[in-house]
Amino acid sequence: IGSSEEGKKNGANDLLYHNLITQEYVGARYFSFGTAAGSDSYGLQGGLVDWKEGFGARGLNHYLYYLNLEQL
């Protein structure tokens, strides 16, 4: 997700997510912030993880499986 320089300065993404969580999806069991894939030793973007956790988010492992259909 992104915003303009003015949006970044004014916290547009924070406002968007705050409204989604507290007004649009009130009572929802889950709200996905998407991935935080990156290049640190854990394969994460630390700043993005911190930002998401600031809303109370927790990380979950996702397992990916690749199937080579050409060899079937």
Side-chain angles (χ1 to χ4, degrees):
I1 192 163
S3 63
S4 66
E5 288 303 314
E6 182 179 357
K8 290 176 184 177
K9 182 175 72 175
N10 293 311
N13 287 340
D14 294 345
L15 179 62
L16 170 67
Y17 277 103
H18 175 76
N19 286 338
L20 287 172
I21 294 166
T22 62
Q23 295 176 20
E24 296 294 322
Y25 295 101
V26 174
R29 188 166 177 186
Y30 298 101
F31 182 89
S32 176
F33 282 92
T35 66
S39 60
D40 75 1
S41 60
Y42 296 103
L44 298 172
Q45 291 183 33
L48 185 54
V49 171
D50 290 343
W51 181 78
K52 292 175 181 189
E53 288 178 345
F55 287 98
R58 293 183 302 216
L60 298 172
N61 289 327
H62 291 267
Y63 298 99
L64 299 175
Y65 299 93
Y66 296 94
L67 178 62
N68 186 347
L69 298 176
E70 293 177 2
Q71 293 184 6
L72 293 179

